Amino acid sequence: MTAQLVNIGFGNSVVSRRVIAIISPNAAPIKRLRDEAREDRRLIDATQGRRTRSVIITDSNHVILSAIQSETIAQRFSPNCNLREEDLKEEK
């Protein structure tokens, strides 16, 4: 997968290659993860004051909050929901 910017809402973007996971913010472990990231100054709030609807984890261990649904962001990565074999291979 080539590195590209993916819109996470309100003019904010992330580099696609840096994203490890896109998850729903409702579970208690995710809330703890968000609180720990805030304490460690690794939290990026991209919600523009709106309700958090997804949490994005990056390879640099940053936690990004977005007001866009997880499913919507995932579709922006791969509109056809297809993964190519080279997307799964680790870069050296």
Side-chain angles (χ1 to χ4, degrees):
M1 176 166 53
T2 60
Q4 59 190 103
L5 292 176
V6 176
N7 184 346
I8 60 167
F10 307 108
N12 300 300
S13 301
V14 294
V15 177
S16 60
R17 296 197 91 144
R18 304 295 303 264
V19 174
I20 300 295
I22 306 166
I23 49 184
S24 175
N26 300 330
I30 303 309
K31 291 178 182 178
R32 283 194 299 271
L33 178 70
R34 181 173 55 188
D35 293 339
E36 290 172 7
R38 181 175 284 124
E39 290 172 6
D40 295 343
R41 301 181 56 90
R42 295 181 288 110
L43 182 72
I44 300 169
D45 187 351
T47 62
Q48 303 289 7
R50 291 170 175 82
R51 181 172 163 250
T52 300
R53 294 199 171 142
S54 62
V55 177
I56 301 166
I57 311 297
T58 66
D59 61 353
S60 61
N61 210 20
H62 283 83
V63 176
I64 304 169
L65 307 179
S66 174
I68 305 296
Q69 291 285 345
S70 301
E71 294 84 7
T72 303
I73 296 173
Q75 285 180 343
R76 291 178 183 177
F77 276 85
S78 179
N80 300 328
C81 297
N82 295 334
L83 284 177
R84 299 175 308 201
E85 188 173 329
E86 58 265 15
D87 291 343
L88 301 175
K89 291 182 182 176
E90 197 171 308
E91 228 181 76
K92 301 210 182 208

